[in-house]
């Protein structure tokens, strides 16, 4: 019986860790691993057109499942292409194992063809990055990488020379127990008691929620009811906290809407729950602030804290809620709910006025119709830029839908490759890529991956023939727009030529029908929507202090045009206010 190779051992350990797909592009240094995958009954090779797409796809899969996903790149330029998607996965806390194949081990350090130093290149975007120089290292190094990715939430990179991968393994890897899920983290009693005292002493409490509230919706609602707290959220907290929320006051930040800004500034105590919200210009500096986070390195890096609490949001609130006194006054909460509804009423007219006759099509209208027509359990992947705004303001969360994007790393071209990873998880679930024309064109080659594998992803392309967010950045800086115009082809015709379903829409009256037809199509589809490049607006609060970097990239003109069904949600919450 032939002896197991290092590559076969590598693939076997990935399989035991729950990996089902290895996304990548084949190359000579990867050949032993790819061949091991070919013969593996548990792991499939997914051939993408660009390694960056492989890393984005793996990151999306990991974000949706919370489980380990994997990608691979061949030596030198191949694995170097992974880096942007790995940065995104790492900053999104998605557990991803990346295999960076390397040049022949005997040539390392000689300036050999395609030589780079991946064990150094990937250190900033990983928790663990190590070179395997001997077959005897492999099982332990790979297992250690897996434990880092899952346990700490983020990327691990294993660098493996092609010749080492093809060598016989020194012995069969033992059935070693691997971490496959993260534990709950409960704060100490001293921290819980200190937080309870602060809550009891505060007359007005506001909660501001991020992605760390995933799985804690019930606990947040129960606590908000007990202390009569308005609940705002960051973009990554929207899908977890906005639905079935009678205390919702919207979103803060440059893409924000509603009364979240006022609620965080007018309270006596602000509690940041599971958020690493980066724009500290939108956070108050004269309000007592508590932060609860499972990642201790996040505590206090955005705002000065009066109390730092290391723990899961769900476990923290389970401990905290019974210990705080019930607040009887709803005055502050009801005031913020009313402000929220008024704020939404004030902007909704911006996109409803003659919208069904306006050409080019209002992108707000497209997003609103998309929200209505998409499935209740759809997965939306969202390109960076203007599409972040449409997703923030028009996609209605319900506890079943998922919305992922490059919300922390802020990369272009993320939506299409993330949709690939999302669709491989479940071919029967609707996956919608909300793509901008700039982002789609950047990694357009991987539309062919959809066709090759018959993935029924629906690409909804907001085509304004410009890099819209960059134009806004230039305008805020007092500069004329330059180098931002895209001369685009008929993307629907390209989709059709590639073997997919494609349709181009230039009039608003055709939007709904085009989306319905695309959603009914069994395979990949692209809807090319020609939208208005002049859809500009103003965020709810903006000051000179917010200027700088992306904190004012949308500046005084982020996007006002409407808020979709959130107006109805706010009205419903107002109706639920108890009357004397």
């Amino acid at each position: 019986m032939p002896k197991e190779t290092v590559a076969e051992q590598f693939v076997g350990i990935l399989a035991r860790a729950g990996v089902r797909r290895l996304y990548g592009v084949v190359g000579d240094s990867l050949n032993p691993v790819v061949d091991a995958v070919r013969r593996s009954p548990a792991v499939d090779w997914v051939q993408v057109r660009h390694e960056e797409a492989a890393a984005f796809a793996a990151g999306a899969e990991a974000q949706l499942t919370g489980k380990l996903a994997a990608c691979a790149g061949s030596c030198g330029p191949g694995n170097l292409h992974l880096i942007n998607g790995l940065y995104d996965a790492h900053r999104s806390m998605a557990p991803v194992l990346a295999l960076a194949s390397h040049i022949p081990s005997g040539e390392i350090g000689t300036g050999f063809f395609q030589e780079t130093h991946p064990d150094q290149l990937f250190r900033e975007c990983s928790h663990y990055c190590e070179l395997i120089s001997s077959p005897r290292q492999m099982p332990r190094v790979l297992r250690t990488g897996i434990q880092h990715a899952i346990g700490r939430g983020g990327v691990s990179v294993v660098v493996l020379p092609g010749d080492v991968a093809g060598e016989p393994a020194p012995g069969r890897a033992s059935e070693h127990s691997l971490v496959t899920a993260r534990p709950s983290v409960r704060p100490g009693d001293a921290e819980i008691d200190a937080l309870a005292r602060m809550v009891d002493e505060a007359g007005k409490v506001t909660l501001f929620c991020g992605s760390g509230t995933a799985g804690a919706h019930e606990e947040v609602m129960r606590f908000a009811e007990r202390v009569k707290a308005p609940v705002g959220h960051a973009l990554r907290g929207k899908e977890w906290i906005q639905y079935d929320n009678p205390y919702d006051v919207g979103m803060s930040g440059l893409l924000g809407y509603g009364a979240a800004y006022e609620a965080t500034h007018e309270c006596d105590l602000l509690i940041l729950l599971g958020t690493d919200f980066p724009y500290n210009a939108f956070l108050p500096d004269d309000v007592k602030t508590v932060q609860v986070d499972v990642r201790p390195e996040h505590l206090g890096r955005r705002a000065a804290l009066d109390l730092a609490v290391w723990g899961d949001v769900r476990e923290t609130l389970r401990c905290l809620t019974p210990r705080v006194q019930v607040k009887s006054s709803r005055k502050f909460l009801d005031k913020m709910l009313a402000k929220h509804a008024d704020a939404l009423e004030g902007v909704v007219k911006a996109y409803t006025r003659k919208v069904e006759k306006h050409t080019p099509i209002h992108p707000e209208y497209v997003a609103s119709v998309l929200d209505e027509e998409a499935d209740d359990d759809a997965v939306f992947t969202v390109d960076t830029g203007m599409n972040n705004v449409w997703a923030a303001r028009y996609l209605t969360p319900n506890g079943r839908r998922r919305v992922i994007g490059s919300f922390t790393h802020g990369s272009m071209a993320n939506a299409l490759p993330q949709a690939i990873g999302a669709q491989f998880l479940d071919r029967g679930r609707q996956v919608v890529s909300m793509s901008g024309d700039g982002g789609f064109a950047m990694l357009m080659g991987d539309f062919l991956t959809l066709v090759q594998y018959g993935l029924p992803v629906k690409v909804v392309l907001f085509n304004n023939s410009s890099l819209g967010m960059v134009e806004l950045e230039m305008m805020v800086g007092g500069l004329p727009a330059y180098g931002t115009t895209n001369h685009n082809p008929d993307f629907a015709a390209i989709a059709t030529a590639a073997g997919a379903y494609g349709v181009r829409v230039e009039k608003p009256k055709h939007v709904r029908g085009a989306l319905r037809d695309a959603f009914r199509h069994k395979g990949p589809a692209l809807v090319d929507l020609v939208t208005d490049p002049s859809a500009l607006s103003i965020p709810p609060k903006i000051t000179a202090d917010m200027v700088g970097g992306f904190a004012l990239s949308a500046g005084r003109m982020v996007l006002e045009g409407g808020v979709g069904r959130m107006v109805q949600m706010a009205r419903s919450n107002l109706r639920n206010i108890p009357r004397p």
Side-chain angles (χ1 to χ4, degrees):
M1 181 177 177
K3 195 168 185 180
E4 184 181 46
T5 65
V6 170
E8 290 171 318
Q9 197 175 70
F10 187 99
V11 173
I13 292 173
L14 286 184
R16 287 194 289 278
V19 171
R20 295 294 171 260
R21 281 161 290 277
L22 191 58
Y23 300 91
V25 177
V26 297
D28 57 353
S29 60
L30 265 179
N31 286 346
V33 174
V34 173
D35 189 62
V37 172
R38 178 183 64 83
R39 291 179 282 108
S40 169
V43 180
D44 293 326
W45 178 262
V46 177
Q47 177 188 347
V48 296
R49 295 307 202 273
H50 194 295
E51 288 91 349
E52 181 177 352
F56 271 123
E61 182 179 320
Q63 287 186 65
L64 292 169
T65 65
K67 299 178 181 179
L68 187 70
C71 58
S74 59
C75 64
N79 64 57
L80 190 60
H81 285 158
L82 294 170
I83 197 164
N84 192 48
L86 292 183
Y87 260 99
D88 183 79
H90 193 58
R91 300 189 71 188
S92 300
M93 296 176 62
V96 171
L97 189 289
L99 167 60
S101 188
H102 206 357
I103 64 172
S105 57
E107 301 293 346
I108 296 173
T110 68
F112 191 71
F113 177 65
Q114 294 188 322
E115 181 173 5
T116 59
H117 292 89
D119 52 317
Q120 299 175 35
L121 284 167
F122 293 101
R123 288 201 180 277
E124 190 175 329
C125 64
S126 65
H127 291 304
Y128 182 85
C129 182
E130 293 294 342
L131 167 67
I132 294 175
S133 56
S134 164
R136 293 187 298 276
Q137 286 178 269
M138 205 289 294
R140 284 193 298 168
V141 168
L142 179 56
R143 288 171 183 147
T144 303
I146 290 170
Q147 308 288 58
H148 274 75
I150 296 172
R152 298 185 63 183
V155 170
S156 285
V157 179
V158 173
V159 182
L160 181 62
D163 60 315
V164 175
E167 291 182 19
R172 288 200 167 270
S174 59
E175 294 292 330
H176 187 79
S177 179
L178 291 167
V179 167
T180 56
R182 299 179 68 187
S184 297
V185 178
R186 180 197 184 280
D189 286 334
E191 287 74 23
I192 294 293
D193 289 341
L195 179 51
R197 285 193 298 271
M198 294 177 71
V199 172
D200 289 342
E201 291 169 0
K204 300 175 291 185
V205 179
T206 292
L207 309 181
F208 186 67
C209 302
S211 60
T213 57
H217 184 276
E218 181 181 345
E219 287 76 12
V220 173
M221 296 302 108
R222 188 181 298 121
F223 181 73
E225 168 57 30
R226 193 170 182 87
V227 301
K228 309 301 183 287
V231 178
H233 60 268
L235 178 55
R236 290 188 67 200
K238 174 184 174 72
E239 63 178 328
W240 305 114
I241 214 68
Q242 190 185 31
Y243 69 95
D244 295 341
N245 181 357
Y247 318 103
D248 177 52
V249 291
M251 191 173 91
S252 191
L254 284 169
L255 310 187
Y257 52 82
Y261 183 93
E262 287 87 348
T264 57
H265 282 71
E266 297 179 22
C267 60
D268 301 320
L269 177 64
L270 173 61
I271 304 179
L272 306 173
L273 294 175
T275 179
D276 193 34
F277 181 70
Y279 310 120
N280 56 7
F282 286 90
L283 295 174
D285 55 12
D286 57 352
V287 171
K288 283 189 176 180
T289 302
V290 174
Q291 185 177 0
V292 179
D293 206 291
V294 74
R295 296 281 287 265
E297 65 270 26
H298 289 178
L299 295 170
R301 73 176 182 178
R302 307 301 184 196
L305 301 180
D306 295 274
L307 180 65
V309 180
W310 182 9
D312 296 328
V313 171
R314 183 171 63 179
E315 293 302 318
T316 300
L317 293 182
R318 283 178 175 176
C319 297
L320 176 66
T321 301
R323 302 191 193 193
V324 300
Q325 299 173 7
V326 176
K327 295 189 185 297
S328 58
S329 174
R330 288 181 54 105
K331 185 177 179 180
F332 178 61
L333 170 60
D334 293 344
K335 176 184 176 182
M336 291 300 114
L337 291 175
K339 279 192 172 186
H340 180 58
D342 289 346
L344 299 193
E345 292 279 4
V347 299
V348 71
K349 295 176 184 177
Y351 100 97
T352 55
R353 191 181 300 115
K354 298 181 181 179
V355 66
E356 295 184 355
K357 297 181 179 179
H358 180 89
T359 55
I361 304 167
H362 276 311
E364 303 96 327
Y365 177 67
V366 173
S368 180
V369 175
L370 172 61
D371 180 56
E372 294 170 1
E373 294 296 330
D375 289 350
D376 286 342
D377 66 343
V379 176
F380 297 90
T381 60
V382 183
D383 259 345
T384 297
M386 294 301 189
N387 280 6
N388 274 199
V389 183
W390 314 140
R393 298 194 172 193
Y394 291 93
L395 296 184
T396 306
N398 57 13
R400 299 172 62 204
R401 285 178 164 179
R402 293 298 314 273
V403 181
I404 63 174
S406 188
F407 297 142
T408 303
H409 186 49
S411 173
M412 283 183 65
N414 60 284
L416 173 62
Q418 286 179 330
I420 292 171
Q423 195 72 83
F424 263 112
L425 278 174
D426 185 352
R427 287 175 175 267
R429 187 175 185 181
Q430 187 181 78
V431 176
V432 179
S433 173
M434 291 180 64
S435 297
D437 57 292
F440 180 76
M442 185 176 282
L443 285 178
M444 185 166 58
D446 269 288
F447 188 80
L448 301 177
T449 302
L450 303 183
V451 177
Q452 179 167 329
Y453 288 97
L455 296 174
V457 169
K458 313 307 177 190
V459 178
V460 178
L461 185 60
F462 289 74
N463 182 2
N464 63 1
S465 296
S466 71
L467 302 177
M469 190 65 81
V470 180
E471 284 194 358
L472 290 179
E473 291 172 351
M474 290 180 172
M475 293 171 66
V476 169
L479 302 173
Y482 182 75
T484 58
T485 301
N486 295 327
H487 181 70
N488 288 329
D490 183 334
F491 288 111
I494 290 176
T496 301
Y501 175 86
V503 59
R504 184 174 172 89
V505 181
E506 299 180 355
K507 295 183 178 179
K509 66 180 179 180
H510 298 146
V511 170
R512 192 177 300 273
L515 290 175
R516 286 180 176 177
D517 289 344
F519 289 161
R520 281 194 293 262
H521 182 69
K522 298 300 183 183
L526 183 145
V527 183
D528 182 5
L529 297 135
V530 181
T531 58
D532 188 351
S534 301
L536 309 177
S537 66
I538 302 171
K541 288 288 181 180
I542 208 76
T543 70
D545 292 338
M546 297 172 187
V547 179
F550 186 74
L552 207 84
S553 62
R556 289 183 167 79
M557 310 185 75
V558 177
L559 293 163
E560 178 183 75
V563 285
R565 285 188 275 178
M566 283 178 283
V567 177
Q568 284 71 39
M569 293 168 62
R571 288 172 180 158
S572 176
N573 287 345
L574 276 182
R575 287 195 296 270
N576 291 332
I577 293 177
R579 303 299 178 191

